[in-house]
Amino acid sequence: EAARARQAVVSLRPDDPVVAHHQLARARLNAGDLDEARLHVLRALERAPLYEAGLELLLDIRERMVEAGSAVPPTKSGEKSP
């Protein structure tokens, strides 16, 4: 429900799309939709690459994706990926 409302806000072209995408990403994360959360936080970071709250949220999403097995953790330098 909250994610739908936030999606509607984003589609209306808000004054601050960075914040709107960040809020939508957080709502999608809270709803358990990791892929959509990642998509929206990346959209926020495209517009503001140093947006600290967005960077922190991206790390949180990445951690949850690794825990869920839907993302491959980064390899250490020199290791080959499976």
Side-chain angles (χ1 to χ4, degrees), residues 13-73:
R13 305 225 179 249
D15 290 335
D16 192 343
V18 172
V19 172
H21 277 293
H22 178 262
Q23 290 175 343
L24 182 55
R26 176 132 338 257
R28 296 312 309 158
L29 179 61
N30 291 339
D33 190 345
L34 300 175
D35 291 329
E36 282 292 313
R38 183 177 177 275
L39 173 73
H40 285 286
V41 78
L42 288 174
R43 286 183 180 166
L45 290 169
E46 284 176 354
R47 294 174 181 262
L50 300 178
Y51 182 50
E52 190 172 342
L55 292 169
E56 290 173 4
L57 183 57
L58 182 59
L59 289 174
D60 187 24
I61 293 166
R62 171 79 174 154
E63 184 177 297
R64 291 189 193 194
M65 291 179 93
V66 169
E67 288 172 1
S70 60
V72 178

Side-chain angles (χ1 to χ4, degrees), residues 62 66 71-82:
R62 171 79 174 154
V66 169
V72 178
T75 60
K76 294 179 185 174
S77 179
E79 287 184 10
K80 292 184 179 180
S81 302

